[in-house]
Amino acid sequence: MDVVKKISIDEVIDKSDQIGLIDVRSPGEFKAFHIPGAINVPLFSNDERARIGTLYKQKGPHIAKDEGLKIVSPKLPHMFETIRKHAKAYDQTVIYCWRGGMRSLSVASIMNLMGCYTLQLDGGIRSFRKRIVGDLEAFAQEEKPYVVVEGLTGSRKTDILLSLKEKGYPVLDLEGMAGHRGSIFGSVGLEPNSQKGFECMLWLRLRELSDASYYMIEAESKRIGRVVLPEFIINGKENGTRFHIHYPFQKRVQAIYEAYEPTRNEGAVYEAFIKLRKHLNPAFAEEVEDAYQQKDYYKIISLFLEHYYDPKYSHKFKDYKSDAISLTVSSVVEGVARLEEELGKMVMVPKE
């Protein structure tokens, strides 16, 4: 059997549009973090991987390998056909696992033996992770100014920023990357991202914005769900030019209702309330509980804004050393227009 040739992560990134990527790790590993554009053709399911790992620890490598062979053998024809079809669309096909070890080597060897030439990623996805960490450290050294959009909960900040992103402005959609809106209710209806997954998406976006002279972000806490923001973004937020969006209270209530869809995500909303309840005033918590029993979600949102989130965030805004530029708007379209007007005054316009 021919020796499987290896390819570096730098070469894979440089030729990404010409390379088909095959991730042979378990679905759980793939979901937590994978190279963008890769497809998952797993050797083991999540349960099978856990069983093999337990055998390795308790009975040793030989027994674990024997069991692994029994599990994988029936899957090989389907795996081969899946990879072969995928490979037709690319100049090269690269197989990877976690460290560039047995899993990817075994699959690449079989593919090559069957006449479908593949390469093995040197160092596995761990080499990609090292590249991301190194590049983020380099991005952290850049001295680009930040434009920060803040406002009370429901002020349509995210929608305004996403509209600006579509227009070509250098927006970092931190909540989108995190798969979380930031509060204890922030995961409702969303799929929270892992730290590695978030940093991969951030890395991709920062590479896209390499020529941008500044970044635009929403004012976020250091933690968004499971994700911790890099220190350079926190510093950018604290020292950036701030715009405070003022949005009508009832429209904020409506915006939150539409974003969280409480009738569709009733269980998740109530579960988040239970987690938060111990931090609430007992009388307030009881009033919210009564509204939950009546399924009066507009009242629940109004109560949380008036008695919890608005006081909480109004206090946080006072921690900044400088004043924000206030923009009173009544729609996303107006918010976008007002911000574009202000950015124009600062000569911060999107590149053509």
Side-chain angles (χ1 to χ4, degrees):
M1 187 184 300
D2 293 337
V3 175
V4 173
K5 293 184 179 179
K6 296 187 177 185
I7 185 171
S8 71
I9 188 60
D10 291 337
E11 189 174 354
V12 167
I13 291 170
D14 290 342
K15 298 162 51 178
S16 58
D17 59 336
Q18 306 166 35
I19 291 178
L21 290 164
I22 309 295
D23 187 324
V24 296
R25 298 174 304 150
S26 66
E29 292 174 285
F30 182 84
K31 182 179 179 181
F33 174 55
H34 61 269
I35 301 176
I39 66 168
N40 189 209
V41 186
L43 275 169
F44 302 115
S45 69
N46 297 332
D47 290 340
E48 289 165 350
R49 175 174 174 259
R51 188 161 82 247
I52 295 298
T54 300
L55 279 176
Y56 190 94
K57 292 177 182 177
Q58 295 180 351
K59 301 292 182 68
H62 294 298
I63 292 178
K65 288 177 183 178
D66 287 344
E67 181 63 20
L69 186 59
K70 292 177 185 177
I71 292 171
V72 170
S73 294
K75 301 180 183 182
L76 290 177
H78 177 70
M79 291 181 68
F80 170 77
E81 191 60 25
T82 300
I83 296 171
R84 186 184 68 82
K85 287 181 179 179
H86 191 70
K88 288 181 179 180
Y90 298 93
D91 295 340
Q92 294 178 303
T93 299
V94 176
I95 314 289
Y96 74 85
C97 56
W98 172 234
R99 293 180 298 181
M102 283 193 60
R103 286 185 288 180
S104 56
L105 178 60
S106 299
V107 173
S109 297
I110 292 170
M111 295 303 299
N112 292 355
L113 182 65
M114 298 297 292
C116 181
Y117 181 71
T118 60
L119 302 168
Q120 182 189 26
L121 178 59
D122 191 15
I125 196 173
R126 192 166 64 170
S127 66
F128 180 54
R129 173 65 182 161
K130 289 179 180 177
R131 169 68 185 264
I132 289 174
V133 171
D135 284 357
L136 288 180
E137 289 175 354
F139 285 126
Q141 302 305 312
E142 296 178 343
E143 296 184 356
K144 292 185 180 181
Y146 282 67
V147 171
V148 184
V149 178
E150 65 179 36
L152 296 173
T153 304
S155 299
R156 307 297 296 273
K157 305 179 294 293
T158 300
D159 294 325
I160 290 170
L161 281 170
L162 290 179
S163 294
L164 288 168
K165 181 181 177 183
E166 290 181 2
K167 286 172 168 277
Y169 285 87
V171 172
L172 302 178
D173 178 19
L174 301 174
E175 291 187 1
M177 296 174 193
H180 200 284
R181 302 183 190 89
S183 72
I184 199 165
F185 293 92
S187 64
V188 172
L190 300 177
E191 186 67 39
N193 206 350
S194 67
Q195 184 72 35
K196 291 178 182 177
F198 167 82
E199 290 178 1
C200 178
M201 294 182 72
L202 177 62
W203 173 80
L204 282 171
R205 183 59 176 157
L206 290 174
R207 280 168 56 86
E208 289 176 0
L209 298 177
S210 59
D211 293 334
S213 59
Y214 68 101
Y215 299 128
M216 294 187 72
I217 62 170
E218 185 174 337
E220 303 285 356
S221 300
K222 186 173 180 62
R223 181 180 290 275
I224 309 177
R226 290 188 265 177
V227 166
V228 177
L229 295 181
E231 198 63 37
F232 72 90
I233 288 183
I234 296 297
N235 291 336
K237 180 195 77 169
E238 292 176 349
N239 296 295
T241 300
R242 295 162 45 231
F243 291 94
H244 189 103
I245 304 297
H246 297 273
Y247 205 69
F249 184 85
Q250 289 304 324
K251 286 194 172 186
R252 290 168 54 209
V253 173
Q254 183 64 36
I256 293 169
Y257 183 88
E258 292 174 1
Y260 286 80
E261 299 183 285
T263 55
R264 182 179 179 182
N265 300 301
E266 185 176 341
V269 170
Y270 189 72
E271 183 181 342
F273 165 60
I274 294 301
K275 291 179 181 178
L276 186 60
R277 182 168 187 159
K278 61 185 176 182
H279 302 293
L280 304 176
N281 176 281
F284 168 59
E286 191 63 34
E287 189 174 4
V288 173
E289 180 68 50
D290 290 343
Y292 267 116
Q293 298 308 317
Q294 300 298 319
K295 299 188 184 301
D296 189 346
Y297 293 110
Y298 284 99
K299 182 177 180 180
I300 292 167
I301 295 168
S302 297
L303 286 170
F304 267 111
L305 290 183
E306 186 175 356
H307 298 289
Y308 184 75
Y309 284 110
D310 284 6
K312 177 182 177 183
Y313 290 123
S314 293
H315 177 74
K316 278 190 174 182
F317 294 143
K318 295 177 182 178
D319 293 338
Y320 288 97
K321 298 176 182 178
S322 60
D323 293 330
I325 299 169
S326 293
L327 299 178
T328 300
V329 302
S330 59
S331 69
V332 171
V333 172
E334 185 182 2
V336 170
R338 292 290 305 281
L339 262 174
E340 284 197 285
E341 181 183 347
E342 294 294 331
L343 293 171
K345 295 176 185 177
M346 301 165 62
V347 200
M348 288 183 168
V349 294
K351 290 182 178 292
E352 295 295 336

